[in-house]
Amino acid sequence: ETGVTQTPRHLVMGMTNKKSLKCEQHLGHNAMYWYKQSAKKPLELMFVYNFKEQTENNSVPSRFSPECPNSSHLFLHLHTLQPEDSALYLCASSQVLAGVRGEEQYFGPGTRLTVT
Amino acid sequence: AQSVAQPEDQVNVAEGNPLTVKCTYSVSGNPYLFWYVQYPNRGLQFLLKYITGDNLVKGSYGFEAEFNKSQTSFHLKKPSALVSDSALYFCAVRVFKAAGNKLTFGGGTRVLVKP
């Protein structure tokens, strides 16, 4: 595996539920990311955290709420989701070096979310 | 703005034959280019990247890619495909700038290698 773990691997939730996705990276990286992967759509960047600070929110609806308590952990809190939010949610991490933008990202296995 | 196009949804190739997965990009500035592979029920795995220097980049599992600035392309190649190479392949681009980590992905190309 890549050193990035995600739990749970599968989640089924109703539209009125509240749940959280968890990501942990064991690579000592300083940046973490949430992506959404839907069928027949390109991979969509949702949020970026650098040194625990959110640096990018890609116009994500407020029913998705990220949290980064430290550089190794990233959460995605979910509430009042819609069926179209069903997708594979991928977490990634990278080591960002000042002035260098060539670092690759390492991905977790994803959480398959189904909203009923 | 930056964008990536993978013109083929699927590529079929016989085992042992050469494999090519196409990628073209559009950026305003110098690009950093990446290839990732995704196996069923797995996350994306990094294959290779182009930052600067030699236009031919060698990566994991015998894959290589050639950066062509005039054609704005970064095609992924493997001289002899294996059945185990069957997977979903993504090209991605980032433009060099002072800040921002945004990596833009193409739509993906499914590769099917038949025995």
Side-chain angles (χ1 to χ4, degrees):
Chain A
E1 280 296 345
T2 59
V4 180
T5 58
Q6 290 187 242
T7 55
R9 293 293 306 274
H10 300 271
L11 177 62
V12 179
M13 59 185 290
M15 290 189 285
T16 58
N17 292 157
K18 289 185 179 181
K19 296 287 184 182
S20 296
L21 309 184
K22 178 183 176 182
C23 175
E24 183 174 1
Q25 59 95 0
H26 312 272
L27 301 169
H29 289 164
N30 56 19
M32 297 188 77
Y33 313 79
W34 278 118
Y35 287 89
K36 176 183 179 182
Q37 186 178 24
S38 306
K40 300 184 180 181
K41 290 183 70 175
L43 207 61
E44 301 172 67
L45 178 66
M46 300 175 71
F47 302 104
V48 180
Y49 278 82
N50 283 297
F51 298 97
K52 303 185 299 178
E53 299 296 323
Q54 187 180 129
T55 55
E56 190 144 354
N57 177 336
N58 206 26
S59 303
V60 181
S62 60
R63 57 186 183 269
F64 295 91
S65 175
E67 178 189 2
C68 189
N70 55 61
S71 58
S72 298
H73 293 85
L74 185 65
F75 295 89
L76 188 63
H77 304 299
L78 316 171
H79 63 97
T80 60
L81 294 192
Q82 305 298 311
E84 59 264 29
D85 296 323
S86 298
L88 182 68
Y89 288 85
L90 292 165
C91 174
S93 71
S94 71
Q95 182 65 17
V96 176
L97 303 173
V100 177
R101 289 287 174 250
E103 77 282 358
E104 59 269 26
Q105 295 177 14
Y106 292 82
F107 286 78
T111 295
R112 175 70 62 186
L113 174 67
T114 303
V115 181
T116 60
Chain B
Q2 53 195 46
S3 64
V4 178
Q6 293 181 243
E8 300 159 315
D9 289 338
Q10 181 159 324
V11 170
N12 297 317
V13 63
E15 187 174 32
N17 282 1
L19 169 64
T20 299
V21 186
K22 296 179 180 178
C23 170
T24 58
Y25 65 90
S26 174
V27 298
S28 53
N30 293 321
Y32 292 158
L33 294 154
F34 304 80
W35 275 103
Y36 288 83
V37 60
Q38 186 178 31
Y39 297 99
N41 300 314
R42 302 283 293 274
L44 277 67
Q45 294 180 33
F46 169 73
L47 277 179
L48 51 79
K49 66 181 179 183
Y50 171 81
I51 304 300
T52 186
D54 195 347
N55 289 343
L56 184 64
V57 179
K58 294 187 182 297
S60 306
Y61 312 120
F63 284 94
E64 58 187 29
E66 186 167 11
F67 171 64
N68 188 317
K69 188 172 184 178
S70 62
Q71 297 185 3
T72 62
S73 67
F74 189 56
H75 301 330
L76 181 70
K77 299 181 180 182
K78 187 171 184 179
S80 178
L82 302 173
V83 172
S84 57
D85 293 328
S86 298
L88 189 56
Y89 290 79
F90 292 94
C91 181
V93 67
R94 175 188 297 139
V95 65
F96 175 80
K97 63 177 185 178
N101 302 46
K102 187 171 182 177
L103 195 61
T104 300
F105 285 84
T109 299
R110 188 164 302 281
V111 170
L112 180 60
V113 182
K114 297 182 179 179

